[in-house]
Amino acid sequence: MPGLEDLYREIILDHYRNPRNRGELETPPAVVAEGFNPLCGDEVKVYVVVDGDTITDIRIGGQGCSISQSSASMMTTAVVGKTVDEARDVLRSFKQMMSIHEHGLGADADPADASTPSGLGDLEALRGVVKFPVRIKCATLGWNTFDQALAEVDSPA
Amino acid sequence: MSTATLDAAAVKADFPLLAREVHGTPIVYLDSGATSQKPRAVLDAMDRYYEEINANVHRGAYHIAERATTASEDARRSVARFIGATDEHEVVFTKNATEAVNLVAHAWGRSNLAEGDVVLVSLLEHHANIVPWHQLAAERGIEVRWIPTTDDGRLNLGALDHLLEGVRLVAVTAASNVTGDLPPVRRLADAAHSVGALCLVDASQYVPHRATDVADLGCDFLAFTGHKMCGPTGIGVLWGRRELLDAMPPFLGGGEMILDVRRDGFTPNEVPWRFEAGTPPIAEMIGLGAAVDYLEQLGMDAVAAHEVDLTAYALRTLGDRFDDDLVIHGPADTTDRGGTLSMCLGEIHAHDLSQVLDQHGVCVRAGHHCAKPLMRELGVTATARASLYLYNDESDVDALADALDEAARFFAF
């Protein structure tokens, strides 16, 4: 049976208590996307500045639970300074980690012990979220919103 | 029939699920505002239907079909009796309370409301009693107007007379699913009638908890759902005054709701079947009938008294143990208040709070409770809501308080 420590790893609680890159950016030059989790009312805003190919700045606004806030915070440190394509690779890897289907979550499956290396670094700490399926949407909220922001960069409204 | 007090231990023993353990600890079910647990009597009644008399209703002339028809229509009579309706034809079975409100919005609203007409709702409403009116506003240009709330989550009726101008329908909850407030439905219904308007009451959180009499409430429509009152999911009720229902066109079209179908049209059936297109949820009707019988056997006055006592104990216990660290959004005492406790503990997000509570077997709802306008008014995006029902006792409240302690320790706010 998964316990709280599987979900609330120390680094997650650290990002929750001391969120990185929190705030707003002027639009333009930044683009902004807004995401909602209709189940719990969490709201997140992701501001992104792309200079050439590179994500030069990113900020997170809104409010949510420890999982959504820390996941968004960790995302910002993982993608800032990367090219848009590199950021999309991280995004893909993260969402793959969050996909219960990819891991074939069954009675005996333990995704936290999955041996596939994801190259996600600190983000690996969020792997335990998969054991709490209701919380997966919390963990992916910031990422999906970031994805929307990148789409906005590709084709401004 | 009704006893003065409830034997909580005996009641708990009637509910098989409450004997379960989760995470190695006995389950503490405090989410009856979302859905109640079901007593053995309801589960048995539904099993008996499928095992002994499963057949479609109002169609076959054979023995079990007649038995099924009788059993499902008996359930309608039970429900009518339970809410003080004198005419069982006034009880329309729907999928849930949401569909009941939508039925009124479609069948009554589209026949009676025009641009500029006002539907007066309150800030306490569940989305089910908001969105259908927003849809009519978009489609017909009606105005949705709001009764405000007080700081302790009750209705603020100070400007009611002014708010009633141009109102054709007052659509209000009888019990908030967030703050627990029990608004003065009779006063609101009388106020509606004084300006020639009708009154629709969302009683989803009321009928399960208080003796209900539609004549006493004075309303014109009453919507509620079966699964919050010990019945199954998939069955709700719209009660409406007979002359109103008789004048309303059908909602969904199909079988059961017609008297005749020709190449050039159809003739609708009588009420209530006019509003029950297609094969109805027969087992669920029977299950709801059994739930009503169960509640009547306990006595709704005894159920209400038990809940008031337990709510007082919960407010006192949580207040003593957490003081200002725990905010309960709602009235501070049990006057006109149900057993719904919407909590914020320190800076802990409701989702995180409910996650820790779950580790201790305590089931609460975390989120906006489908009442976002109210949540905005309260200035929160989410609360953790514990909701008490007839099978809860002081040990459940104590378990909640212990688990809240653990959460405070874990997140060390």
Side-chain angles (χ1 to χ4, degrees):
Chain A
M1 182 195 70
L4 285 180
E5 60 285 357
D6 291 308
L7 185 62
Y8 297 113
R9 311 284 287 276
E10 197 45 54
I11 189 161
I12 294 175
L13 292 175
D14 175 54
H15 274 266
Y16 177 46
R17 294 186 180 117
N18 310 293
R20 323 293 200 265
N21 300 305
R22 195 161 169 80
E24 299 177 3
L25 292 172
E26 199 177 329
T27 55
V31 295
V32 61
E34 200 171 359
F36 295 93
N37 183 344
L39 293 176
C40 60
D42 283 3
E43 304 166 0
V44 68
K45 275 186 174 178
V46 177
Y47 297 83
V48 184
V49 176
V50 176
D51 188 359
D53 266 356
T54 307
I55 296 169
T56 56
D57 206 352
I58 179 166
R59 293 295 154 87
I60 303 292
Q63 42 193 329
C65 67
S66 62
I67 300 301
S68 75
Q69 293 294 289
S70 61
S71 182
S73 171
M74 292 164 82
M75 174 184 79
T76 64
T77 60
V79 302
V80 73
K82 288 201 162 55
T83 68
V84 169
D85 284 347
E86 288 167 344
R88 283 202 164 108
D89 284 342
V90 178
L91 194 137
R92 229 178 337 263
S93 299
F94 182 78
K95 292 195 69 172
Q96 192 172 348
M97 184 172 81
M98 285 296 120
S99 162
I100 50 175
H101 303 295
E102 296 285 337
H103 292 294
L105 187 70
D108 301 320
D110 189 353
D113 297 336
S115 50
T116 354
S118 65
L120 285 169
D122 284 353
L123 289 166
E124 294 274 355
L126 285 159
R127 200 182 270 280
V129 172
V130 181
K131 295 180 189 173
F132 300 82
V134 174
R135 305 301 296 274
I136 292 173
K137 280 205 167 106
C138 308
T140 54
L141 178 64
W143 295 79
N144 288 331
T145 311
F146 174 57
D147 200 11
Q148 288 171 39
L150 290 184
E152 186 77 6
V153 172
D154 287 345
S155 49
Chain B
M1 171 175 93
S2 85
T3 50
T5 54
L6 212 62
D7 179 350
V11 169
K12 214 170 214 177
D14 290 337
F15 292 78
L17 186 138
L18 297 177
R20 283 201 61 206
E21 293 195 343
V22 286
H23 308 317
T25 167
I27 200 162
V28 177
Y29 190 74
L30 295 172
D31 196 19
S32 300
T35 195
S36 73
Q37 295 304 332
K38 323 302 174 196
R40 174 62 69 195
V42 167
L43 305 175
D44 286 350
M46 295 177 74
D47 278 351
R48 263 201 313 278
Y49 161 72
Y50 281 122
E51 288 173 8
E52 298 173 11
I53 58 169
N54 174 50
N56 213 327
V57 293
H58 300 141
R59 285 159 177 80
Y62 46 90
H63 177 70
I64 58 171
E66 282 170 358
R67 288 275 309 276
T69 302
T70 305
S72 62
E73 291 302 325
D74 281 351
R76 193 188 307 277
R77 256 191 299 283
S78 295
V79 169
R81 186 182 64 235
F82 191 65
I83 60 170
T86 49
D87 178 356
E88 74 216 45
H89 294 86
E90 295 180 332
V91 172
V92 180
F93 284 122
T94 60
K95 185 172 65 182
N96 46 37
T98 298
E99 189 183 283
V101 175
N102 275 275
L103 199 168
V104 175
H106 279 259
W108 179 83
R110 278 167 179 73
S111 305
N112 291 280
L113 297 178
E115 186 170 351
D117 285 342
V118 178
V119 172
L120 182 63
V121 299
S122 88
L123 269 178
L124 293 181
E125 301 314 309
H126 185 282
H127 293 166
N129 196 25
I130 299 172
V131 179
W133 310 117
H134 275 328
Q135 288 176 309
L136 262 186
E139 189 185 311
R140 286 288 171 95
I142 67 159
E143 179 193 339
V144 178
R145 194 179 289 164
W146 298 83
I147 302 173
T149 46
T150 61
D151 287 345
D152 63 347
R154 293 194 190 275
L155 287 191
N156 179 350
L157 298 175
L160 182 61
D161 288 346
H162 176 67
L163 288 170
L164 283 167
E165 272 179 42
V167 168
R168 299 289 312 282
L169 179 74
V170 176
V172 288
T173 182
S176 166
N177 72 322
V178 176
T179 70
D181 179 42
L182 306 179
V185 170
R186 180 74 208 211
R187 182 180 160 194
L188 289 161
D190 289 347
H193 296 150
S194 73
V195 297
L198 297 183
C199 180
L200 161 72
V201 173
D202 173 3
S204 300
Q205 301 285 348
Y206 186 86
V207 172
H209 304 284
R210 294 289 189 276
T212 302
D213 186 306
V214 287
D216 287 347
L217 291 174
C219 57
D220 303 287
F221 295 109
L222 188 83
F224 58 101
T225 194
H227 71 92
K228 296 186 201 293
M229 52 187 287
C230 300
T233 53
I235 182 89
V237 173
L238 173 70
W239 169 85
R241 282 199 291 114
R242 180 69 184 265
E243 62 270 31
L244 292 170
L245 294 179
D246 277 339
M248 281 157 54
F251 174 31
L252 301 172
E256 185 92 359
M257 54 71 72
I258 45 87
L259 277 185
D260 186 26
V261 179
R262 300 168 304 277
R263 290 189 183 206
D264 63 348
F266 72 97
T267 308
N269 202 342
E270 297 168 23
V271 299
W273 303 285
R274 177 188 302 173
F275 303 111
E276 296 177 356
T279 295
I282 304 163
E284 288 72 16
M285 290 163 76
I286 291 167
L288 179 57
V292 161
D293 292 344
Y294 178 79
L295 291 171
E296 279 184 334
Q297 214 166 15
L298 297 174
M300 284 309 291
D301 288 337
V303 168
H306 172 74
E307 288 184 32
V308 170
D309 286 350
L310 191 57
T311 303
Y313 177 78
L315 290 170
R316 198 166 59 237
T317 302
L318 296 173
D320 287 350
R321 286 182 61 170
F322 298 95
D323 203 19
D324 291 342
D325 290 335
L326 185 77
V327 175
I328 298 176
H329 293 280
D333 63 54
T334 57
T335 311
D336 296 326
R337 191 200 200 291
T340 300
L341 308 164
S342 279
M343 306 173 292
C344 291
L345 181 61
E347 295 296 310
I348 305 174
H349 189 278
H351 240 164
D352 296 314
L353 189 54
S354 72
Q355 194 85 57
V356 179
L357 264 48
D358 174 60
Q359 293 292 312
H360 299 273
V362 178
C363 310
V364 300
R365 166 87 178 267
H368 54 59
H369 317 300
C370 299
K372 287 190 86 170
L374 175 60
M375 300 298 278
R376 290 199 177 90
E377 190 70 13
L378 297 171
V380 291
T381 53
T383 70
R385 181 190 69 184
S387 45
L388 307 169
Y389 202 18
L390 73 178
Y391 36 65
N392 292 121
D393 56 26
E394 294 184 0
S395 76
D396 296 327
V397 173
D398 294 339
L400 169 67
D402 290 346
L404 288 170
D405 256 336
E406 290 296 325
R409 212 184 336 270
F410 187 83
F411 288 102
F413 64 81

